[in-house]
Amino acid sequence: MERQAQAKAAVQSKLPIQIGYGVLYILLTVVAIFQIFPLLWLLLFSLKNNEEIFNLTPFALPGRLHWENYEKVWTQGHISAYFFNSVWMTVTSVAVTALFASFVTFAVTRMKWKLQSFVLGLFMVGLMIPVHSTLIPLFSLFTKTHLTDHPLSLILSYIAFNLPITIMIMLGFYYTLPREVEEAAIMDGCSVNRLFFSITLPMTASVISTAVIINMIYNWNEFIFVNTFISSDKYKTLTVGIQNFIGQYTTDWGAIGATLMISILPILLAFVLLSNRIVEGIAAGSVKG
């Protein structure tokens, strides 16, 4: 009888917790549904023609699914070239940014040198510089160095503006890394270069994933630099390529919707693949010690 009473008391004590979790899951499900609505709306938008877009309700199905919108933007609208430009420019700038930020963070948190705090402060100052205030100086610089209408102008700009936030993300994580592993490797005769690439860098894979997805979202969706520095279709990216379907007298809204749908798929795919790493990086980097 006593055991039954204890079991009943345990069940009753857990009941409020279970109810709380149930309410939380319901709320999260509702939020997730509202988050999915814009994607569903964009998908339906991309499968309609102009007449259906303006005459039907946003979530109404068209009379016929206009998959030719995707074929049109991929072939006639040169979106395939813009898509390729977005991919390789984003991958290059993100990889270089993550590597350079890892170098800086390792040097700041693991080495002792005179200008350590000053250099870190310079990078943090970069967080306070508005993008728009740099357009004219950067355009003048790239004009003098013959880098206007060149992909390097975009890649260098992305790296420069993303380094401060990437370093800030990595700092908290690096402070939590156990120094005992690195000290043991040094005692065994490990060089600084091998220590970084073989031990420290693999241990920071989760925070690097977090930095990568943040950088990828910014670079993939960036519009101002592309529109300012790039003039030829050869190096344009998806964000600027959408303008091809906006004419003086008419706009192909279905084609614009198809282009937008194509542009968000890589971001969604990267987020799904790296979601676990992103959560680990944010959780580990949020607490020091």
Side-chain angles (χ1 to χ4, degrees), residues 99-151:
L99 183 61
F100 283 6
S102 298
F103 286 159
V104 174
T105 311
F106 180 83
V108 169
T109 60
R110 292 300 189 267
M111 299 179 180
K112 299 295 182 182
W113 39 293
K114 291 183 179 180
L115 300 178
Q116 177 179 352
S117 300
F118 176 74
V119 171
L120 178 60
L122 283 180
F123 279 107
M124 294 301 101
V125 168
L127 291 171
M128 298 181 288
I129 300 176
V131 175
H132 302 83
S133 65
T134 64
L135 287 178
I136 295 177
L138 283 177
F139 186 81
S140 177
L141 173 64
F142 291 144
T143 300
K144 292 177 181 178
T145 54
H146 305 288
L147 289 179
T148 52
D149 200 24
H150 193 283

XYZ file of all heavy atoms in Angstrom, residues 99-151:
428
model
N 37.859 30.782 -41.601
C 39.260 30.453 -41.353
C 40.001 31.625 -40.709
O 40.707 31.459 -39.703
C 39.939 30.055 -42.658
C 41.407 29.604 -42.553
C 41.523 28.371 -41.666
C 41.987 29.331 -43.939
N 39.842 32.827 -41.255
C 40.507 34.003 -40.701
C 40.014 34.304 -39.282
O 40.802 34.665 -38.406
C 40.281 35.213 -41.608
C 41.132 35.226 -42.841
C 41.939 34.150 -43.158
C 41.133 36.313 -43.699
C 42.725 34.144 -44.301
C 41.915 36.332 -44.840
C 42.714 35.239 -45.143
N 38.709 34.180 -39.060
C 38.169 34.422 -37.723
C 38.713 33.405 -36.724
O 38.980 33.754 -35.561
C 36.644 34.363 -37.761
N 38.896 32.168 -37.159
C 39.486 31.154 -36.286
C 40.931 31.509 -35.953
O 41.377 31.345 -34.808
C 39.416 29.775 -36.954
O 38.077 29.379 -37.180
N 41.677 31.999 -36.950
C 43.055 32.442 -36.705
C 43.085 33.531 -35.633
O 43.858 33.466 -34.662
C 43.682 32.974 -37.992
C 44.050 31.927 -38.996
C 44.208 32.253 -40.339
C 44.234 30.602 -38.621
C 44.546 31.289 -41.276
C 44.574 29.627 -39.543
C 44.719 29.972 -40.877
N 42.252 34.550 -35.831
C 42.252 35.694 -34.917
C 41.826 35.263 -33.519
O 42.460 35.643 -32.517
C 41.319 36.804 -35.450
C 41.200 37.938 -34.427
C 41.831 37.346 -36.772
N 40.774 34.473 -33.418
C 40.267 34.055 -32.112
C 41.282 33.184 -31.395
O 41.477 33.313 -30.173
C 38.943 33.294 -32.272
O 38.056 34.038 -33.107
C 38.288 33.082 -30.928
N 41.944 32.306 -32.108
C 42.984 31.467 -31.503
C 44.127 32.329 -30.989
O 44.631 32.117 -29.875
C 43.495 30.463 -32.536
C 44.578 29.548 -32.020
C 44.238 28.410 -31.307
C 45.918 29.829 -32.246
C 45.228 27.559 -30.831
C 46.905 28.991 -31.771
C 46.560 27.849 -31.063
N 44.539 33.311 -31.790
C 45.649 34.178 -31.376
C 45.271 35.023 -30.160
O 46.109 35.258 -29.279
C 46.051 35.082 -32.534
N 44.033 35.464 -30.091
C 43.604 36.329 -28.992
C 43.409 35.541 -27.698
O 43.735 36.027 -26.605
C 42.302 37.065 -29.375
C 41.678 37.755 -28.161
C 42.576 38.079 -30.467
N 42.894 34.330 -27.789
C 42.559 33.557 -26.580
C 43.648 32.595 -26.144
O 43.653 32.162 -24.990
C 41.267 32.755 -26.811
O 41.452 31.855 -27.927
C 40.100 33.686 -27.092
N 44.575 32.245 -27.036
C 45.574 31.230 -26.693
C 47.001 31.759 -26.667
O 47.902 31.063 -26.207
C 45.486 30.063 -27.694
C 44.211 29.242 -27.584
C 44.100 28.631 -26.194
N 43.018 27.665 -26.104
C 41.787 27.950 -25.707
N 41.471 29.206 -25.391
N 40.870 27.014 -25.607
N 47.240 32.953 -27.149
C 48.597 33.502 -27.193
C 48.670 34.787 -26.376
O 47.662 35.449 -26.145
C 49.017 33.772 -28.646
C 49.050 32.549 -29.528
S 49.541 32.967 -31.231
C 49.488 31.348 -31.982
N 49.878 35.109 -25.929
C 50.136 36.334 -25.185
C 51.061 37.233 -26.001
O 52.194 36.849 -26.284
C 50.771 36.019 -23.825
C 49.917 35.155 -22.913
C 48.627 35.866 -22.496
C 47.811 35.009 -21.541
N 46.538 35.659 -21.163
N 50.568 38.398 -26.406
C 51.378 39.341 -27.167
C 50.907 40.757 -26.855
O 49.815 40.967 -26.336
C 51.321 39.047 -28.672
C 49.982 38.634 -29.187
C 49.312 37.489 -28.900
C 49.136 39.356 -30.081
N 48.097 37.441 -29.558
C 47.964 38.570 -30.295
C 49.253 40.581 -30.751
C 46.940 38.978 -31.123
C 48.218 40.979 -31.581
C 47.086 40.190 -31.764
N 51.729 41.744 -27.157
C 51.526 43.111 -26.683
C 50.225 43.737 -27.169
O 49.507 44.365 -26.410
C 52.713 43.988 -27.103
C 54.004 43.660 -26.379
C 55.113 44.615 -26.797
C 56.400 44.310 -26.049
N 57.497 45.232 -26.436
N 49.925 43.599 -28.452
C 48.767 44.280 -29.035
C 47.518 43.406 -29.071
O 46.606 43.636 -29.852
C 49.105 44.745 -30.457
C 50.273 45.723 -30.576
C 50.524 46.055 -32.035
C 50.006 46.990 -29.774
N 47.465 42.409 -28.205
C 46.357 41.457 -28.202
C 45.005 42.150 -28.005
O 44.086 42.002 -28.815
C 46.587 40.441 -27.089
C 45.489 39.421 -26.912
C 45.822 38.443 -25.785
O 46.917 38.448 -25.246
N 44.872 37.616 -25.438
N 44.882 42.938 -26.951
C 43.608 43.615 -26.658
C 43.297 44.689 -27.693
O 42.134 44.889 -28.068
C 43.649 44.240 -25.270
O 43.871 43.251 -24.274
N 44.337 45.375 -28.167
C 44.126 46.435 -29.153
C 43.587 45.876 -30.463
O 42.649 46.437 -31.047
C 45.445 47.175 -29.396
C 45.367 48.232 -30.463
C 44.718 49.435 -30.219
C 45.940 48.019 -31.715
C 44.636 50.408 -31.199
C 45.859 48.979 -32.706
C 45.210 50.181 -32.441
N 44.143 44.779 -30.933
C 43.689 44.162 -32.183
C 42.259 43.655 -32.044
O 41.427 43.846 -32.941
C 44.642 43.021 -32.590
C 44.055 42.228 -33.764
C 46.004 43.577 -32.960
N 41.955 43.031 -30.912
C 40.587 42.561 -30.690
C 39.620 43.740 -30.673
O 38.524 43.666 -31.244
C 40.503 41.786 -29.380
C 39.111 41.265 -29.000
C 38.568 40.319 -30.059
C 39.164 40.568 -27.639
N 40.035 44.845 -30.046
C 39.193 46.035 -30.024
C 38.946 46.604 -31.410
O 37.838 47.058 -31.713
N 39.954 46.558 -32.276
C 39.784 47.038 -33.651
C 38.730 46.223 -34.393
O 37.892 46.778 -35.121
C 41.116 46.971 -34.404
C 42.150 48.047 -34.105
C 43.407 47.808 -34.945
C 41.587 49.442 -34.397
N 38.765 44.916 -34.211
C 37.763 44.072 -34.876
C 36.368 44.345 -34.324
O 35.391 44.361 -35.075
C 38.112 42.592 -34.698
C 39.156 42.097 -35.655
C 40.445 41.829 -35.231
C 38.852 41.889 -36.987
C 41.412 41.369 -36.106
C 39.808 41.426 -37.884
C 41.094 41.171 -37.441
N 36.272 44.560 -33.017
C 34.960 44.830 -32.425
C 34.404 46.183 -32.867
O 33.191 46.374 -32.959
C 35.040 44.769 -30.904
C 35.346 43.384 -30.351
S 34.122 42.107 -30.829
C 34.984 41.259 -32.186
N 35.294 47.148 -33.146
C 34.850 48.442 -33.663
C 34.153 48.261 -35.010
O 33.232 49.006 -35.368
C 36.033 49.416 -33.780
C 35.664 50.655 -34.583
C 36.506 49.836 -32.392
N 34.586 47.253 -35.762
C 33.967 46.978 -37.058
C 32.485 46.675 -36.961
O 31.740 46.868 -37.938
N 32.014 46.226 -35.786
C 30.589 45.954 -35.609
C 29.762 47.231 -35.623
O 28.558 47.191 -35.891
C 30.361 45.219 -34.282
C 30.887 43.785 -34.184
C 30.779 43.292 -32.752
C 30.109 42.869 -35.118
N 30.399 48.356 -35.343
C 29.666 49.623 -35.227
C 29.683 50.434 -36.518
O 29.133 51.532 -36.560
C 30.257 50.450 -34.085
C 30.152 49.778 -32.725
S 30.828 50.776 -31.386
C 32.582 50.643 -31.719
N 30.330 49.945 -37.560
C 30.418 50.688 -38.820
C 29.232 50.338 -39.713
O 29.075 49.181 -40.123
C 31.734 50.376 -39.553
C 32.929 50.754 -38.679
C 31.795 51.106 -40.888
C 34.269 50.392 -39.285
N 28.361 51.285 -40.050
C 27.229 51.000 -40.939
C 27.699 50.676 -42.357
O 28.659 51.281 -42.853
C 26.414 52.304 -40.925
C 26.919 53.083 -39.755
C 28.349 52.680 -39.566
N 27.019 49.738 -42.978
C 27.393 49.341 -44.335
C 27.275 50.508 -45.308
O 28.149 50.729 -46.152
C 26.507 48.159 -44.794
C 26.797 47.820 -46.252
C 26.737 46.950 -43.916
N 26.205 51.273 -45.195
C 25.941 52.342 -46.162
C 27.022 53.427 -46.122
O 27.292 54.068 -47.138
C 24.577 52.975 -45.897
C 23.445 51.986 -45.962
N 23.103 51.178 -44.905
C 22.586 51.680 -46.969
C 22.083 50.419 -45.250
N 21.746 50.706 -46.489
N 27.639 53.635 -44.967
C 28.649 54.685 -44.866
C 29.946 54.316 -45.577
O 30.790 55.178 -45.796
C 28.955 54.980 -43.389
O 29.561 53.852 -42.767
N 30.099 53.060 -45.957
C 31.339 52.613 -46.603
C 31.211 52.478 -48.114
O 32.207 52.178 -48.777
C 31.780 51.255 -46.027
O 30.791 50.261 -46.358
C 31.941 51.324 -44.513
N 30.037 52.671 -48.666
C 29.834 52.417 -50.089
C 30.713 53.321 -50.960
O 31.393 52.845 -51.884
C 28.360 52.609 -50.460
C 27.407 51.510 -49.985
C 25.982 51.844 -50.372
C 27.815 50.159 -50.543
N 30.702 54.626 -50.683
C 31.488 55.556 -51.506
C 32.993 55.311 -51.340
O 33.717 55.216 -52.347
C 31.109 57.009 -51.181
C 29.660 57.274 -51.582
C 32.039 57.982 -51.901
C 29.165 58.671 -51.240
N 33.528 55.195 -50.107
C 34.965 54.892 -49.982
C 35.364 53.582 -50.641
O 36.415 53.505 -51.290
C 35.182 54.845 -48.460
C 34.092 55.675 -47.896
C 32.914 55.457 -48.791
N 34.524 52.547 -50.478
C 34.850 51.261 -51.098
C 34.785 51.344 -52.621
O 35.647 50.778 -53.313
C 33.892 50.178 -50.596
C 34.140 49.629 -49.193
C 33.060 48.623 -48.817
C 35.511 48.970 -49.108
N 33.786 52.032 -53.136
C 33.683 52.175 -54.593
C 34.892 52.928 -55.141
O 35.436 52.561 -56.191
C 32.397 52.910 -54.963
C 32.134 52.967 -56.436
C 31.562 51.891 -57.092
C 32.473 54.090 -57.178
C 31.326 51.927 -58.463
C 32.245 54.141 -58.544
C 31.664 53.056 -59.190
N 35.332 53.971 -54.445
C 36.527 54.707 -54.865
C 37.757 53.819 -54.817
O 38.595 53.843 -55.731
C 36.708 55.929 -53.963
O 37.897 56.629 -54.291
N 37.884 53.031 -53.750
C 39.033 52.132 -53.615
C 39.047 51.086 -54.715
O 40.090 50.846 -55.345
C 38.987 51.454 -52.245
C 40.031 50.352 -51.993
C 41.437 50.926 -52.014
C 39.751 49.642 -50.672
N 37.909 50.451 -54.962
C 37.846 49.408 -55.981
C 38.032 49.991 -57.386
O 38.555 49.305 -58.280
C 36.524 48.659 -55.889
C 36.396 47.821 -54.649
C 35.171 47.680 -54.014
C 37.499 47.180 -54.121
C 35.051 46.911 -52.873
C 37.392 46.397 -52.976
C 36.169 46.270 -52.348
N 37.624 51.234 -57.589
C 37.839 51.874 -58.888
C 39.327 52.094 -59.128
O 39.834 51.840 -60.229
C 37.091 53.214 -58.961
O 35.687 52.980 -58.784
C 37.308 53.875 -60.315
N 40.038 52.545 -58.107
C 41.476 52.797 -58.249
C 42.260 51.501 -58.422
O 43.300 51.484 -59.090
C 41.987 53.556 -57.031
C 41.447 54.988 -56.927
C 41.941 55.666 -55.662
C 41.372 57.079 -55.549
N 41.801 57.748 -54.287
N 41.783 50.435 -57.816
C 42.473 49.141 -57.923
C 41.900 48.265 -59.040
O 42.262 47.087 -59.146
C 42.367 48.383 -56.590
O 40.994 48.272 -56.210
C 43.144 49.108 -55.503
N 41.006 48.829 -59.857
C 40.408 48.137 -61.010
C 39.658 46.859 -60.591
O 39.732 45.832 -61.266
C 41.490 47.785 -62.040
C 42.300 48.956 -62.490
N 41.800 49.942 -63.309
C 43.587 49.312 -62.207
C 42.742 50.849 -63.532
N 43.837 50.495 -62.877
N 38.950 46.946 -59.470
C 38.189 45.798 -58.980
C 36.677 46.005 -59.082
O 35.915 45.134 -58.649
C 38.556 45.499 -57.523
C 39.950 44.902 -57.288
C 40.189 44.674 -55.805
C 40.122 43.596 -58.064
N 36.246 47.145 -59.636
C 34.808 47.295 -59.876
C 34.390 46.344 -60.990
O 35.159 46.077 -61.918
C 34.470 48.739 -60.272
O 35.319 49.143 -61.360
C 34.655 49.679 -59.096
N 33.171 45.858 -60.894
C 32.666 44.843 -61.817
C 33.565 43.608 -61.805
O 33.841 43.004 -62.846
C 32.539 45.405 -63.233
C 31.590 44.571 -64.080
O 30.720 43.887 -63.500
O 31.718 44.599 -65.320
N 34.031 43.252 -60.600
C 34.888 42.077 -60.415
C 34.422 41.355 -59.154
O 34.089 42.003 -58.154
C 36.349 42.503 -60.292
C 37.314 41.369 -60.418
N 37.567 40.470 -59.406
C 38.102 40.983 -61.466
C 38.462 39.590 -59.803
N 38.802 39.869 -61.049
N 34.369 40.027 -59.168
C 33.875 39.300 -57.980
C 34.697 39.537 -56.726
O 34.172 39.410 -55.614
C 33.935 37.830 -58.418
C 34.824 37.793 -59.610
C 34.680 39.110 -60.284
